[in-house]
Amino acid sequence: MKTMPNILLIYTGGTIGMIKDFETGALRNFNFDDLLKHIPELKLLDCTIETQSFESPIDSSNMNPSYWQDLASIIETRYDEVDGFVVLHGSDTMSYTASALSFMLENLAKPVIFTGSQLPIGDLRTDAKENLITSIQIAALQEKGKPKIAEVGLYFEYKLYRANRTTKINAEHFEAFASLNYPALAESGVHLSINEAALRIPNRRRKMKVYKSLESQILLVKMFPGLTIDIITHLFSSETIKGVVLETFGSGNMTNDPSFLEALRMLRKRNIPIINVTQCSGGSVSMGLYETSVALKKMGVISGKDITTEAAIAKLMYLLGQEVSMDSFKTLFETSLRGEMT
Ligand code: ASP
């Protein structure tokens, strides 16, 4: 007899499970069991659901790589026993966590679907129920006895995205996420429509491997007209920096003021990788297209192509954590490892 898929629901925190504090009026986390009581519909799904909660659920603004390691450990421990995972997470930093997990879990052949909500599950107008129920349904989808989705996804407001392609774009609308450089993997309407061509094809012969070593001593610098060289020099003088993500203009351009370029060259001399990502929400870095990016290309700045800033940060932490040799670092970063760049 065919058994129903078994899904592990992991609760890390976030609005979905929050309640208004009686005294302050601010939203804070509440008990996971209480959360489940609000959705009796879960019993109607064609799968069994196990649950596991962070000991102290957090607002995702407090997320950090140590929690990513905890999450990866939970997935590693339960990987062989369940058919898929749904991770409940605050929306604020969901794209960062989900991107990080996409790199930490190599040869993933089962779904890890992140979701959350803009309104708490107890709220009358909540978006939590649909997000949670459909995420579980997606995680439980099977074809010929194998999970249909075999990657880290992010489901929010009727759309399933490749997680490492997403960015939170709205703090008000239920449609809080966008994936501007990659199509949605699935859309939920009257039917659940899967974009087959966009799905990642797993290599099921390879064993899933978890990488937990992440290097956090990195810096994200967003260029803006008026940014002073004094500030840049001060930031870059830190002895501890191991890598820099540079958010540049348009297709990867920044001022070609010699003092700025010299500051970057000094970093390169210290063998510190610099990743060029665009501050545009969509489109790609293309160094050399304009004069204002030629020098960057020459000094060996790495092209983030059409990667999101969230995924660039996660990939940098991951690759630095693997102590990849500096010779292959650029090639590896510029290669799509988990479908994070085109
Ligand atoms: N501040 C919340 C969090 O990220 C917002 C949310 O869950 O949507 O944890």
Side-chain angles (χ1 to χ4, degrees):
M1 199 186 80
K2 201 181 164 309
T3 54
M4 287 202 284
N6 187 20
I7 304 303
L8 180 64
L9 181 60
I10 305 167
Y11 179 53
T12 69
T15 301
I16 194 161
M18 286 185 181
I19 193 164
K20 253 204 185 111
D21 188 282
F22 199 60
E23 278 165 20
T24 64
L27 287 171
R28 61 168 172 79
N29 284 293
F30 75 124
N31 192 293
F32 188 47
D33 299 328
D34 288 342
L35 184 151
L36 293 177
K37 266 189 237 149
H38 280 94
I39 347 173
E41 295 93 331
L42 291 182
K43 294 200 186 74
L44 304 173
L45 291 170
D46 283 336
C47 59
T48 51
I49 303 167
E50 288 183 57
T51 56
Q52 188 163 344
S53 174
F54 271 14
E55 217 164 78
S56 308
I58 56 163
D59 183 297
S60 81
S61 308
N62 285 319
M63 226 348 121
N64 62 43
S66 146
Y67 287 115
W68 297 346
Q69 287 155 348
D70 293 346
L71 207 44
S73 294
I74 296 176
I75 293 172
E76 184 176 30
T77 313
R78 301 300 315 278
Y79 191 75
D80 292 332
E81 300 151 17
V82 302
D83 298 290
F85 301 85
V86 172
V87 182
L88 297 182
H89 192 289
S91 64
D92 288 348
T93 61
M94 194 187 292
S95 292
Y96 290 90
T97 302
S99 295
L101 265 291
S102 79
F103 294 110
M104 294 166 85
L105 308 173
E106 191 181 61
N107 302 323
L108 189 64
K110 296 184 179 183
V112 176
I113 311 295
F114 278 76
T115 195
S117 64
Q118 293 280 57
L119 284 175
I121 204 140
D123 196 290
L124 213 51
R125 294 177 49 252
T126 190
D127 51 331
K129 284 191 185 182
E130 201 286 320
N131 285 349
L132 175 55
I133 290 170
T134 309
S135 293
I136 296 175
Q137 280 183 326
I138 288 172
L141 275 183
Q142 303 229 325
E143 193 174 71
K144 296 186 188 135
K146 299 269 187 297
K148 180 84 190 160
I149 311 291
E151 58 184 294
V152 181
L154 187 154
Y155 182 81
F156 224 89
E157 192 64 3
Y158 303 110
K159 286 201 180 112
L160 174 72
Y161 301 109
R162 172 163 301 154
N164 57 29
R165 292 293 197 142
T166 62
T167 303
K168 182 169 180 183
I169 47 137
N170 207 305
E172 164 73 21
H173 295 166
F174 286 145
E175 196 171 346
F177 290 88
S179 163
L180 284 163
N181 287 330
Y182 200 73
L185 304 181
E187 225 169 306
S188 161
V190 173
H191 297 105
L192 191 60
S193 132
I194 308 279
N195 184 355
E196 300 278 347
L199 298 182
R200 209 164 156 68
I201 301 166
N203 184 342
R204 293 188 196 276
R205 268 169 299 180
R206 293 229 177 109
K207 215 175 142 34
M208 203 274 289
K209 192 166 171 200
V210 181
Y211 294 87
K212 287 186 207 147
S213 168
L214 299 166
E215 175 58 69
S216 304
Q217 302 285 7
I218 64 168
L219 184 65
L220 167 65
V221 180
K222 181 170 185 157
M223 288 292 143
F224 60 89
L227 175 62
T228 67
I229 186 63
D230 294 353
I231 300 272
I232 286 291
T233 311
H234 181 74
L235 284 174
F236 289 179
S237 68
S238 156
E239 299 274 306
T240 48
I241 302 183
K242 298 272 172 23
V244 174
V245 175
L246 210 57
E247 257 198 20
T248 56
F249 308 119
S251 53
N253 311 312
M254 62 167 262
T255 172
N256 46 16
D257 180 307
S259 57
F260 276 81
L261 296 177
E262 193 45 34
L264 293 177
R265 263 186 219 109
M266 294 300 283
L267 282 185
R268 294 297 306 123
K269 274 198 192 121
R270 288 161 61 196
N271 251 332
I272 294 172
I274 306 168
I275 322 296
N276 187 353
V277 303
T278 172
Q279 41 185 268
C280 294
S281 329
S284 181
V285 161
S286 173
M287 283 186 284
L289 188 64
Y290 288 88
E291 207 185 359
T292 42
S293 64
V294 169
L296 302 180
K297 191 173 181 178
K298 271 198 193 139
M299 71 176 85
V301 167
I302 296 169
S303 174
K305 301 182 184 175
D306 62 349
I307 201 168
T308 60
T309 297
E310 291 87 336
I313 285 174
K315 190 172 185 175
L316 186 56
M317 284 189 182
Y318 162 74
L319 286 179
L320 287 172
Q322 304 326 305
E323 290 174 15
V324 170
S325 82
M326 275 304 140
D327 293 341
S328 42
F329 198 94
K330 186 171 189 294
T331 316
L332 217 50
F333 200 103
E334 290 179 349
T335 307
S336 173
L337 302 178
R338 310 281 192 267
E340 75 282 4
M341 49 170 60
T342 307

